[in-house]
Amino acid sequence: MPDRDPAPAPGAALRTLHARGRLAAEYPAVRELLAGADRDALDFAGRVLAPLDPEEVLAHHPDTPVVRVAVTGRGTVGEVVPALTAQLARHGILARTRVCGSGGYLGDLADPNSPLYAHAPEVTLCVLDPLTVWDKVEVPWQPLEVSVAAERRRRVLGELAQAHAASAPRGATLVLNTVPLLRRFTHQLTSLTQRAELSGLWKQFNADLLHMARPSAGLAVLDLEPVTSAGVRADEPRLGAYADAHCTAELLAHYAREAAHLIRALRGEAKKCLVLDLDGTLWDGVLAEDGPEGVTAAGTLRGAAFGAFQRTVRQLASQGVLLAVCSRNDAGAVRRALAEHPEFPLRPDDFATVVADWGSKAEGVRTVAERLGLAPEAVVFADDTPFERASVRAGVPGAAVVELDAEPALHTEHLLADGWFDTPALTDEDRLRPVRYARRAARVGSEAASADHRAFLATLELRVDVSPAREHELARLAQLTLRTNRFNLTGERLGTEQVRQCAAAPGAAVLAVRAADRFGDEGVVGAVFARIDGDRLRVENLLLSCRVLGRGIEEALLGGLLAAAREAGLTAVHAVWRPTRANAAVRTLCPRHGFRVVGGPGARPGGDRATGPAPAPAAEAGPENGAESRAGEVRFAHPLRTLPPVPGHVTLRLQLTDEPVQPTEPTEPTEPTADGAEVATCTPSRS
């Protein structure tokens, strides 16, 4: 009997929740119900979830991720909201949506007092339907006249993007899209030469739109050509004529899917690791029955389809996606097949780790995540067997599951359908991730062979360099704010342009934390966002990649930061911890390094005598980085009298600013620091 997925049909389970009035109370379950939903189930989900009051959901689940979305466009575009709501729910995100004036996107975006900006959107969808441009073309027309109208419209869109950047909340993103060219326009030209000319000019218009895109700076452009080229009709003539609704429901559904992927990427929720089955997934055949020589990824038409899939996987790996194997097979046979089979594009070195045994796939995926130091939410699992997929869904909550089937020619399409690894911009750290995780494995192996953890650290030759971020590092710092959850004092998310603005602000100290050891260079692993406020240093956020925790870098960073502040003549360092879903452990970081609580839970009345009165509450002072004050936040201050030492196994170099070090007479350090610790005595700018 073939394996069958034991889970109930997503649509039926969702209808049951809806009928019982339990959608808000059980909203977290919707994500899993919609993971493998078909179009009918998603259509139903959109219709019942869109009217749901977000406040009702948050009353039951206050930690639910929320995104504020404004929708505008040319023509009637409100129908995108149910589809978008369902797509975001698939990814565990609650949509707080506002549809603005039908067809009035020019006014919506140009007027800073419009209802669109009153909604304070994080993402604004400006849906450009197929009649965009054509509403400004007079009959009779020639291709060149259409091109001129298109260029004028593109310039207007550029101006609207600038208006959006000025009027929307800091860090908000405006989303445009390419415009399909309809047959009803091309074939109004009877000259085949002119018809080709129009198509070429229109493609240039769309190319110019795409070249405007800078997602990290607040402007994204969705390319609808892959959607329409797959057979999705763009226009609906009857609804267009009678209701000014020119996009088909199918096109809006695909638009919503791509928009949801973009929103997830902008929130820093890209997956990091692809865990792959072997039999029926990476190769044709069953290893336990056919042996390492009997499986294939070439030689036959079916085998070649597996080879094409392996090349797709290798392409993803070249951009920093970690590859792993989770297979019910003998480990020795798996090693031989991967190492010796002449047909495979993927080789053993392409995989960060391999789990091959006869245990459950859920246990295997958890083992992969543990070995790589990843949360389950960072993992994508791909398998052609329904039972194994169901096992991982149930046993590894948060992991994404890709539904492959018995047709290998469709494996690539299924794998790429949800854009799990999409990111606003690819950084050097992304590309080098597989290399650095290989070094991590070597590091873990060395630690396991060491007598104890301290002895291992002493042999690590750990070097930490902290200094103002360079231009090419700004995208990496933005990425860290998006992806770092555990070691993140405030949880604030920033785009590249926001990081650039922070660094350019008067008195700012935006620092990149770089690490290296005897196993290799780790690159930029952390960030400090701080500013000089009078005679105090205010740390607005501090974060560190989870992959380097436990080596003493966090202790060295905070100890060096305090020492640098005192060397610069400052009298105190202030910091704030804001609770998120994942950063509870870092709540004790500041107290462990001599900070005192001066605001929030645990604060003493009247503030701290050593550092003066507690700073004004965030609701009064205003969040300097644009983050809203949260209940439960705790504010700390350090008087810089007794400083914590830098761990002895760390060689630290820390510099607060790029300003030249002021000449000083050599002095003995007044506080114990580790041998090799170097703290630059820079006087920060107070302008």
Side-chain angles (χ1 to χ4, degrees), residues 52-75:
L52 201 62
D53 183 1
E55 297 303 328
E56 186 180 356
V57 175
L58 294 172
H60 290 283
H61 308 283
D63 292 335
T64 303
V66 180
V67 61
R68 302 181 69 90
V69 181
V71 180
T72 185
R74 206 225 73 86

Side-chain angles (χ1 to χ4, degrees), residues 536 571-574 596 598 607-613 637-641:
R536 302 179 182 188
T571 62
V573 174
H574 288 259
R596 301 174 185 177
V598 295
D608 191 314
R609 294 182 181 178
T611 60
H638 197 294
L640 300 180
R641 289 199 298 266

Side-chain angles (χ1 to χ4, degrees), residues 95-310:
R96 197 189 296 269
T97 310
R98 177 162 189 169
V99 179
C100 301
S102 176
Y105 74 101
L106 296 173
D108 290 338
L109 293 170
D111 181 5
N113 299 312
S114 70
L116 185 150
Y117 295 122
H119 184 59
E122 298 167 68
V123 176
T124 298
L125 302 181
C126 180
V127 184
L128 304 177
D129 68 28
L131 262 66
T132 300
V133 176
W134 292 104
D135 55 358
K136 298 298 182 182
V137 177
E138 297 290 338
V139 176
W141 49 264
Q142 296 295 323
L144 185 58
E145 292 169 328
V146 177
S147 178
V148 170
E151 176 58 18
R152 286 174 179 166
R153 185 52 53 96
R154 188 193 66 80
R155 290 181 181 178
V156 168
L157 291 171
E159 294 169 359
L160 293 176
Q162 294 177 358
H164 185 271
S167 301
R170 193 174 74 167
T173 299
L174 173 65
V175 182
L176 305 175
N177 57 272
T178 58
V179 182
L181 176 60
L182 302 181
R183 187 178 187 275
R184 67 164 116 151
F185 293 119
T186 60
H187 282 61
Q188 289 179 31
L189 295 170
T190 57
S191 166
L192 298 182
T193 301
Q194 284 192 314
R195 195 178 294 173
E197 180 185 358
L198 175 62
S199 295
L201 292 171
W202 197 269
K203 285 179 171 60
Q204 185 60 54
F205 163 59
N206 278 327
D208 291 341
L209 279 177
L210 291 167
H211 286 137
M212 289 169 56
R214 292 181 62 200
S216 58
L219 178 60
V221 181
L222 299 179
D223 188 1
L224 297 187
E225 184 175 356
V227 174
T228 55
S229 67
V232 174
R233 177 159 181 161
D235 68 320
E236 174 47 71
R238 288 168 297 184
L239 287 177
Y242 305 132
D244 199 27
H246 299 279
C247 295
T248 63
E250 188 177 9
L251 181 69
L252 290 178
H254 282 82
Y255 174 98
R257 188 183 187 101
E258 296 300 320
H261 298 168
L262 172 65
I263 290 170
R264 192 187 64 218
L266 291 171
R267 296 171 67 90
E269 297 179 11
K271 307 295 185 182
K272 295 181 179 179
C273 179
L274 174 58
V275 183
L276 295 151
D277 173 48
L278 294 177
D279 297 338
T281 296
L282 274 188
W283 59 52
D284 192 19
V286 179
L287 183 63
E289 298 174 2
D290 303 324
E293 300 80 13
V295 296
T296 182
T300 66
L301 293 177
R302 181 175 172 83
F306 286 97
F309 181 62
Q310 287 199 28

